[in-house]
């Protein structure tokens, strides 16, 4: 759906990279490797996003680092569109809100890094009924046409990302 509205594949990749998980940062050569595209095509789109104020940049050594401008008035709307495109809204509505007992739910894996993926990796902290969870996952996979991979950790296991540099996005919390 998003690729029908936005004709540039590079632009769609950049939207996923920066607007799904606003903590993601990247520089041009890094994006070239991740996207397997020419630096020129990526640079053109980055410049357009930066000129419009949707991306901020700063220099770290000799690298120009880009990051989503979360204070831009359109950021919440773009983030919402990207979440709907991925299917996160349906996952929260159809799985997480019905479980009732998870403490926290994170998006992990390729999507948390801002890369498109054929599956959605979730980490759920809390005590859940696994049979009920599996039935909910099966239903939502049919709706979003993506595989949902869930890892479970117990409620009292602490912060799973305390000493990790692995990108993650907190999607839901009990509090």
């Amino acid at each position: 759906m998003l690729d029908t509205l936005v004709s540039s594949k590079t632009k769609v990749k950049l939207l996923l990279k920066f607007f799904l998980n606003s903590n993601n940062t990247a520089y041009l050569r890094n994006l070239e490797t991740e996207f397997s595209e020419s630096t020129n095509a990526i640079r053109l789109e980055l410049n357009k996003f930066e000129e419009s104020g949707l991306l901020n940049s700063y220099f770290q050594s000799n690298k120009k680092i880009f990051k989503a401008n979360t204070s831009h008035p359109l950021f919440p709307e773009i983030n919402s569109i990207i979440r709907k495109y991925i299917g996160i809204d349906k996952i929260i509505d159809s799985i997480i809100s019905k479980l009732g007992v998870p403490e926290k739910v994170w998006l992990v894996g390729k999507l948390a890094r801002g890369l498109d993926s054929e599956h959605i990796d979730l980490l759920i902290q809390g005590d859940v009924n696994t049979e009920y969870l599996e039935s909910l996952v099966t239903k939502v996979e049919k709706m979003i046409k993506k595989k949902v991979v869930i890892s479970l950790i117990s409620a009292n296991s602490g912060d799973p990302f305390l000493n990790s540099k692995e990108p993650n996005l907190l999607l839901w919390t009990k509090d």
Side-chain angles (χ1 to χ4, degrees), residues 2-169:
L2 188 60
D3 14 11
T4 350
L5 295 172
V6 181
S7 58
S8 165
K9 291 179 183 178
T10 304
K11 195 172 279 185
V12 170
K13 290 176 183 178
L14 288 170
L15 285 168
L16 283 170
K17 178 71 177 178
F18 294 111
F19 292 92
L20 178 61
N21 185 350
S22 63
N23 294 322
N24 283 336
T25 60
Y27 58 95
L28 183 61
R29 295 284 181 203
N30 174 262
L31 292 170
E32 176 188 32
T33 305
E34 283 184 13
F35 295 172
S36 299
E37 291 191 29
S38 75
T39 55
N40 195 41
I42 297 168
R43 182 182 300 111
L44 288 171
E45 297 300 344
L46 284 171
N47 289 340
K48 289 177 189 175
F49 278 127
E50 187 177 24
E51 286 170 14
S52 69
L54 289 168
L55 288 181
N56 290 328
S57 66
Y58 58 92
F59 284 93
Q60 189 174 48
S61 299
N62 64 344
K63 297 175 186 165
K64 188 175 184 180
I65 309 293
F66 293 91
K67 184 174 174 68
N69 179 3
T70 56
S71 61
H72 191 283
L74 292 178
F75 177 82
E77 283 78 13
I78 295 171
N79 178 262
S80 175
I81 289 168
I82 297 298
R83 284 174 175 246
K84 288 176 183 166
Y85 170 68
I86 297 298
I88 291 174
D89 60 327
K90 292 203 181 347
I91 289 172
I92 291 172
D93 292 345
S94 302
I95 298 177
I96 299 167
S97 65
K98 292 183 180 178
L99 287 175
V101 288
E103 298 291 321
K104 295 181 180 180
V105 179
W106 291 273
L107 177 69
V108 295
K110 286 179 78 173
L111 283 171
R113 290 191 299 271
L115 302 173
D116 201 5
S117 177
E118 294 178 8
H119 54 68
I120 298 172
D121 296 304
L122 299 175
L123 176 64
I124 298 177
Q125 184 175 34
D127 302 315
V128 298
N129 179 329
T130 54
E131 288 179 28
Y132 184 53
L133 175 62
E134 288 174 17
S135 70
L136 293 173
V137 167
T138 302
K139 289 177 188 174
V140 82
E141 285 177 337
K142 290 176 185 171
M143 283 192 285
I144 65 173
K145 295 176 177 50
K146 284 190 182 229
K147 179 97 175 116
V148 178
V149 179
I150 295 185
S151 300
L152 298 170
I153 58 174
S154 68
N156 57 4
S157 62
D159 183 353
F161 302 104
L162 188 60
N163 295 318
S164 172
K165 292 184 181 178
E166 185 65 27
N168 63 81
L169 177 62

